[in-house]
Amino acid sequence: VLVIAYDGDPKDAKTLSDTARVKIEVQDVNDKPLIENQEFAVVENAKKGTVVDKVVASDEDKWSKLTYAIEDVPDATEEVAKFFSIDADGVITVSADGDGVLDYEVKDTYEIVVIVTDNGEEYGKTIGREFENLSDTAVITIKIKDEDEKPGFDDDYEFAVDENSLKGTKVG
């Protein structure tokens, strides 16, 4: 940018002036990642390691590496962490305690608070700047899909009925 400084009215011939080139450098700042509430589904009785889905988030910073975690929410996290886990890339899976126990008839919906965090602090060091890691949270709803389940008996049963009983006689 060319800057001209005058010591008076620029239209007056007696006015003195000087010019200078000024370089303006626009520096990058760390933008906050963005995540929105999302909804996924998994079939009941899913086995350990079954992938539910991948959480999607974005960041305007092209250099940003996002990581994901289940946020600690009192009274809710314990149950959620028991059945689901999320890796650093945002992939939600059925965890060990959820192995085969997700039951639509018992609970058909779970809500997980997921936090996505960028690597601003690490990147800032590479360019000689002080950035903080920034984060955002969203509620991820996981619906349990009902599955037709084979009826079963808990035990073997034994009943007796008198011979020559009439049709419709109750047994058991």
Side-chain angles (χ1 to χ4, degrees), residues 48-169:
K48 173 186 173 186
T50 300
V51 173
V52 176
D53 215 319
K54 184 178 188 318
V55 176
V56 177
S58 62
D59 193 323
E60 288 186 27
D61 296 314
K62 302 300 180 211
W63 49 261
S64 189
K65 165 108 174 72
L66 302 178
T67 56
Y68 301 78
I70 293 176
E71 188 171 66
D72 188 21
V73 179
D75 301 326
T77 303
E78 185 176 317
E79 181 177 272
V80 170
K82 185 174 167 184
F83 296 129
F84 302 101
S85 60
I86 189 167
D87 67 16
D89 295 322
V91 177
I92 298 174
T93 56
V94 175
S95 63
D97 288 342
D99 186 21
V101 299
L102 296 173
D103 189 347
Y104 174 86
E105 286 76 23
V106 173
K107 185 168 183 168
D108 66 353
T109 304
Y110 292 86
E111 290 186 337
I112 301 174
V113 176
V114 170
I115 183 167
V116 60
T117 305
D118 70 14
N119 62 325
E121 184 177 338
E122 176 187 332
Y123 178 75
K125 289 176 183 177
T126 68
I127 62 169
R129 305 269 314 276
E130 287 190 31
F131 288 164
E132 293 179 5
N133 290 344
L134 300 178
S135 59
D136 195 14
T137 59
V139 175
I140 307 302
T141 302
I142 300 176
K143 300 269 186 182
I144 307 303
K145 293 191 285 188
D146 195 15
E147 184 177 65
D148 287 336
E149 296 165 303
K150 178 180 166 185
F153 292 101
D154 294 333
D155 293 312
D156 290 335
Y157 298 93
E158 190 174 306
F159 299 101
V161 64
D162 292 335
E163 70 176 322
N164 300 325
S165 295
L166 296 175
K167 180 180 177 181
T169 301

